[in-house]
Amino acid sequence: MNILVIGSGGREHAIAKAIVRSPKVKTVYCAKGNPRMAQDGIVCVDISETDKQALVQFAKEHEISWTFIGPELPLFHGVSDAFEQEGLLVFSPSQRAAKIEYSKDFAKELMKKYNVPTAQSQTFTDFEKAKTYCLEKGVPIVIKADGLAAGKGVVVAMTEQEALDALSLMLIDGSYTNDNDVARVVIEEYLEGEEFSVFSFVKGRKAWFAGISQDHKRAYDNDKGANTGGMGAYSPVPQFDQTVIDDVMMHVVQPIIDGLVLEGASYTGVLYAGLMMTKNGIKVIEFNARFGDPETQVVLQRLKSDFVEIITDILEDKEPTIEWRQSGITLGVVVAANGYPSAYVKDLPLGTLTVPQHTSMELFAAGVTEKNGEYVSSGGRIFLVSATAQTVKEAQQEVYTYLSENPIPQTFYRQDIGSKALR
Ligand code: AMP
Ligand code: GLY
């Protein structure tokens, strides 16, 4: 089989690597991928992740059995629909179903209608009304732009001023990607608790657990600094056991995918539930229409079964066999360019981007390009290094020893990935 992965970051590196491992696969293509992927036998294709026509044509010409779309932007642009329209198999949601990620308003309405536990909220388009509501509710309060905002659409306002600044930015100056050209915000109750995420493979009304992880969204240790795409993750999450997973599958995932079918937006692909364990139980913070980055890099290493067989079976409406490693933990730390998530330095020399062989360590490249035959950085999050060990402490030790022995000037990483599992 030949498989096409769309995207170019660490998540797509991990997905493509899981596909390469399958004996069923001849060639894995990644559009556009990144130059480090070649070391793992992944073939990069120079097509933009939103160029529907070129992607479809490539899939036809290269006898692609199915395509897997990694990031949210192509989903928003209907790349999945373009494949479907040509009769090509794709394990990713339609533009309509992906709305669960790119419209916070749509997601909240769906959760309310189908009784999925989430923070109380109200949606606004009018600045004055939104302001009155915020002042009435008081801080802390959470303000979310209704649209794709590349991780910058959520403001957890601890002061009234922060809340009003966010409203003004999102409703008055707003330039977020949504499908209705009207700036809209969801104003939401502030939830306290510990965050984690659960992934599912979904087809219509059927869902299968696809991993649990905890991301670290803030740039610096102890959850300080700006919100980022994610600075590190581990899987599984010992403080959230099988009972929690069962609860999520039954009370969050099943009702939401049933709801999507009933709304005429049947879902195929990976569904990401971003969750908060509050003292009143599990609440949904957000849904994403895809795997998480950097969660995928650790989650897929927990999979014992053949990833390609799983996706093929689901697409063919057969019951997949999905087995997970039962013991140990996989933990990954992101190395980012100084300045990230604001303006960051680029073109940093990265060396060979390899980890010692015959260890549990893996490296997934994200913001990496090639200049004069050398790897150099091109993105804010540059790569992730992971290790698998019996305990969180041992995995941390392995990753952090490697990172301190292989320093890269003008980069930084969090020193406390996994620490919540040790409390
Ligand atoms: P997002 O950009 O949607 O991933 O959200 C960014 C972060 O905002 C989440 O990871 C949470 O830490 C935080 N957040 C979102 N909604 C809430 C909420 N209702 N209460 C508290 N924190 C929240
Ligand atoms: N790591 C968070 C996300 O992928 O949205």
Side-chain angles (χ1 to χ4, degrees):
M1 292 167 83
N2 296 329
I3 309 284
L4 172 63
V5 176
I6 297 177
S8 60
R11 166 184 45 212
E12 289 74 30
H13 192 177
I15 294 166
K17 236 172 158 169
I19 294 171
V20 164
R21 281 200 289 272
S22 171
K24 292 203 148 53
V25 168
K26 196 167 99 204
T27 310
V28 184
Y29 298 97
C30 193
K32 326 180 159 241
N34 68 59
R36 169 62 178 79
M37 291 182 180
Q39 277 190 41
D40 295 311
I42 300 154
V43 180
C44 292
V45 182
D46 192 16
I47 304 176
S48 148
E49 64 184 34
T50 53
D51 188 344
K52 292 181 218 180
Q53 227 180 344
L55 290 166
V56 163
Q57 195 182 338
F58 180 88
K60 285 185 177 167
E61 285 171 3
H62 293 79
E63 296 178 338
I64 298 296
S65 297
W66 46 259
T67 297
F68 194 110
I69 303 175
E72 58 274 25
L73 198 61
L75 301 173
F76 173 76
H77 285 288
V79 171
S80 188
D81 309 64
F83 277 76
E84 289 248 308
Q85 278 153 20
E86 294 290 326
L88 299 168
L89 285 177
V90 54
F91 191 70
S92 293
S94 66
Q95 192 177 38
R96 218 172 149 175
K99 193 164 183 173
I100 197 160
E101 169 162 4
Y102 66 78
S103 170
K104 304 273 186 202
D105 179 42
F106 174 75
K108 291 303 280 195
E109 290 308 315
L110 204 65
M111 285 188 261
K112 282 180 202 167
K113 190 164 173 188
Y114 295 97
N115 295 315
V116 174
T118 185
Q120 269 186 8
S121 72
Q122 210 161 309
T123 300
F124 295 90
T125 53
D126 181 78
F127 175 78
E128 287 303 326
K129 286 186 183 149
K131 178 176 162 183
T132 308
Y133 179 84
C134 262
L135 297 179
E136 223 173 76
K137 290 279 171 190
V139 288
I141 197 155
V142 181
I143 301 174
K144 301 187 171 183
D146 184 49
L148 281 189
K152 296 188 178 70
V154 176
V155 172
V156 180
M158 302 313 271
T159 65
E160 275 183 9
Q161 195 55 51
E162 278 177 294
L164 299 185
D165 288 349
L167 288 180
S168 139
L169 188 74
M170 291 177 194
L171 286 176
I172 298 170
D173 319 335
S175 61
Y176 296 97
T177 322
N178 66 21
D179 58 358
N180 50 33
D181 288 336
V182 181
R184 219 180 274 270
V185 295
V186 172
I187 303 181
E188 188 173 280
E189 166 200 10
Y190 174 77
L191 297 174
E192 238 170 313
E194 188 172 340
E195 280 184 65
F196 64 109
S197 24
V198 169
F199 305 97
S200 310
F201 298 119
V202 176
K203 178 123 191 281
R205 283 176 180 262
K206 284 202 162 177
W208 297 266
F209 171 70
I212 181 167
S213 181
Q214 186 170 61
D215 189 10
H216 298 65
K217 296 234 181 173
R218 300 295 186 124
Y220 309 127
D221 288 9
N222 302 311
D223 296 335
K224 298 275 188 294
N227 214 13
T228 71
M231 296 298 292
Y234 60 103
S235 175
V237 186
Q239 57 279 38
F240 301 123
D241 59 10
Q242 190 61 42
T243 351
V244 175
I245 293 171
D246 293 344
D247 191 0
V248 172
M249 295 307 291
M250 196 180 309
H251 297 115
V252 172
V253 178
Q254 195 61 52
I256 213 77
I257 64 168
D258 286 344
L260 282 163
V261 169
L262 295 170
E263 301 295 318
S266 179
Y267 196 100
T268 300
V270 171
L271 181 67
Y272 172 131
L275 305 154
M276 184 84 88
M277 181 59 83
T278 73
K279 57 180 191 302
N280 301 317
I282 295 164
K283 304 242 168 143
V284 174
I285 294 183
E286 62 171 350
F287 285 107
N288 291 322
R290 51 173 176 81
F291 260 134
D293 188 342
E295 294 96 317
T296 311
Q297 290 87 313
V298 292
V299 156
L300 286 182
Q301 293 188 61
R302 307 303 305 167
L303 192 61
K304 266 172 48 185
S305 311
D306 183 325
F307 183 71
V308 172
E309 272 179 34
I310 294 173
I311 305 300
T312 307
D313 284 348
I314 294 176
L315 284 170
E316 291 174 355
D317 290 318
K318 291 187 199 142
E319 187 63 28
T321 303
I322 310 180
E323 278 185 53
W324 298 92
R325 290 197 200 188
Q326 290 304 318
S327 70
I329 196 135
T330 303
L331 180 139
V333 177
V334 170
V335 174
N338 280 356
Y340 176 77
S342 300
Y344 51 81
V345 290
K346 286 187 188 168
D347 289 331
L348 304 172
L350 301 172
T352 60
L353 287 179
T354 47
V355 285
Q357 287 195 326
H358 313 295
T359 67
S360 73
M361 295 181 81
E362 298 269 357
L363 186 146
F364 302 94
V368 172
T369 188
E370 220 165 17
K371 271 195 185 160
N372 309 319
E374 311 272 349
Y375 295 126
V376 297
S377 72
S378 58
R381 293 190 294 173
I382 306 171
F383 62 90
L384 172 144
V385 172
S386 74
T388 298
Q390 239 5 75
T391 65
V392 171
K393 266 216 148 77
E394 287 165 316
Q396 280 178 329
Q397 199 173 3
E398 217 176 315
V399 174
Y400 284 124
T401 303
Y402 170 86
L403 291 176
S404 68
E405 286 174 357
N406 296 274
I408 296 177
Q410 299 190 67
T411 65
F412 72 101
Y413 52 85
R414 275 181 65 158
Q415 308 276 351
D416 66 341
I417 302 302
S419 64
K420 288 197 185 92
L422 300 173
R423 284 198 304 224

